[in-house]
Amino acid sequence: MLLGDITFQTPSKPIVAVDTSLYNLSTEEAAFFKAQTGIDDDEDLKKHILEVQAKAYEVAPYPCIHNFIFLRLNLSRISVYEHILKLGRERPDALLLDIGCCFGIDARKAAADGFPAKNIIASDILNEFLQLSHELFKTTPAAYPGCFLPGDVFDPAFLSIAAPSDDVSPLPAIDLSLLKSLNPLHGRISAINAISFFHLFNEEKQLHVAKALAGLLSAQPGSVICGYQVGNPEKGMVNTSIAGSIHQLFVHSPNTWTSLWDGEVFEKGSVKVETELVEAAIREVQYFMMKWSVVRL
């Protein structure tokens, strides 16, 4: 089967069963989900999360759902997170986009930490994930102030490629509840979170998405795009294995990722790119993850 451009290579068993033994929450994550859901008991919280995870895995069996990586508070662990929260506090009408958000957990965390929820857009190609976000967090579309926007980033009717804006003049506020696509937000977004997103696609599509997101970013200095994805010391195809299911994906190195943003997507020298390659493991499987940020100067 195919999820994005990730190919699963086990014809006899293309989708591995959910392994509930992989469930774990750090102290910080447990406190966050308890505060957000109102479920104080650890076992009750686990039961609730497992129920939502099972539904999500039927929708799309992504490795991050199988391995409970979707529960990680990844955005808050990237070095520019406090900068993003500061933009939300201090920049008038600052907007935060959580793209490929799955359940929008990073968007919910940012809102809990002070970025105005009414100025946060969480977007995923699968509307079922956005609906499951409400089930996971025990909210309703009518009561939750954030914007959930389903759509395909490769559909130009939803997100067309526009040149990065160089206009730093203030723009009038926009009513996010009226959005049908991301296109009205060209040049408006202060911060874009793209965690566990780029590595879903091949090299050509990663460049396409980078250009599309760059067109959304505000020209104001300090506007930022950041992410956390599978990486490697050398760019190319890598194989990872999850419970016997092998999948291949294209990944960038820190050097090629930096040159893509600084010189290909944005004009050379107009952005500051930071990358950090860290070793990770799921049981016996070793791989690299890359934290990164692109800040307009």
Side-chain angles (χ1 to χ4, degrees):
M1 68 173 300
L2 203 62
L3 296 174
D5 293 312
I6 299 177
T7 305
F8 286 72
Q9 297 183 320
T10 50
S12 61
K13 190 178 67 173
I15 302 175
V16 297
V18 169
D19 183 355
T20 58
S21 71
L22 294 174
Y23 172 88
N24 69 89
L25 292 177
S26 68
T27 300
E28 179 190 12
E29 290 159 354
F32 171 73
F33 283 105
K34 287 178 180 180
Q36 293 289 304
T37 63
I39 302 173
D40 292 325
D41 181 80
D42 289 328
E43 285 304 312
D44 288 345
L45 180 62
K46 178 179 179 179
K47 180 174 181 288
H48 174 65
I49 290 174
L50 289 179
E51 288 173 353
V52 177
Q53 184 229 18
K55 293 178 181 179
Y57 202 61
E58 288 183 5
V59 173
Y62 287 117
C64 63
I65 294 176
H66 177 272
N67 295 318
F68 294 93
I69 296 172
F70 72 93
L71 297 175
R72 307 289 84 88
L73 305 176
N74 285 315
L75 179 58
S76 65
R77 295 168 183 166
I78 294 180
S79 60
V80 294
Y81 183 60
E82 290 302 321
H83 171 70
I84 290 173
L85 295 181
K86 184 178 180 181
L87 290 176
R89 290 192 304 268
E90 299 180 0
R91 181 178 291 185
D93 298 314
L95 299 179
L96 167 62
L97 170 64
D98 188 5
I99 192 73
C101 68
C102 192
F103 300 134
I105 287 173
D106 284 322
R108 302 263 189 171
K109 171 65 172 169
D113 288 342
F115 200 105
K118 66 181 179 63
N119 290 344
I120 299 177
I121 309 104
S123 182
D124 199 279
I125 192 172
L126 296 170
N127 192 41
E128 294 93 336
F129 283 169
L130 303 181
Q131 294 169 347
L132 285 169
S133 176
H134 288 298
E135 183 172 340
L136 177 61
F137 287 93
K138 294 184 173 293
T139 56
T140 65
Y144 184 67
C147 172
F148 283 160
L149 188 66
D152 181 354
V153 294
F154 296 104
D155 178 0
F158 182 73
L159 178 56
S160 60
I161 290 180
S165 174
D166 58 5
D167 183 2
V168 297
S169 59
L171 294 170
I174 188 169
D175 187 346
L176 299 183
S177 68
L178 301 178
L179 285 180
K180 302 298 182 185
S181 78
L182 291 171
N183 286 328
L185 301 178
H186 280 132
R188 287 179 169 269
I189 298 181
S190 297
I192 301 174
N193 174 44
I195 284 176
S196 297
F197 186 58
F198 277 91
H199 61 214
L200 297 175
F201 310 114
N202 62 31
E203 184 174 10
E204 180 183 3
K205 288 182 179 177
Q206 288 191 30
L207 177 59
H208 176 101
V209 173
K211 289 180 176 179
L213 294 181
L216 294 173
L217 199 64
S218 167
Q220 296 182 64
S223 299
V224 57
I225 305 176
C226 64
Y228 184 52
Q229 67 214 31
V230 180
N232 207 47
E234 301 293 332
K235 84 167 186 177
M237 300 300 296
V238 298
N239 295 331
T240 58
S241 174
I242 298 175
S245 177
I246 298 171
H247 59 280
Q248 292 184 317
L249 62 162
F250 173 83
V251 300
H252 272 280
S253 71
N255 286 339
T256 61
W257 194 239
T258 298
S259 62
L260 180 147
W261 289 99
D262 186 15
E264 192 166 0
V265 174
F266 290 101
E267 182 179 349
K268 182 74 174 175
S270 67
V271 294
K272 178 183 179 182
V273 183
E274 292 187 348
T275 61
E276 179 186 2
L277 203 62
V278 296
E279 291 189 69
I282 298 176
R283 292 187 172 178
E284 74 282 358
V285 181
Q286 298 287 328
Y287 58 100
F288 288 97
M289 294 294 290
M290 184 168 62
K291 297 179 182 181
W292 57 273
S293 61
V294 179
V295 179
R296 298 203 70 166
L297 300 176

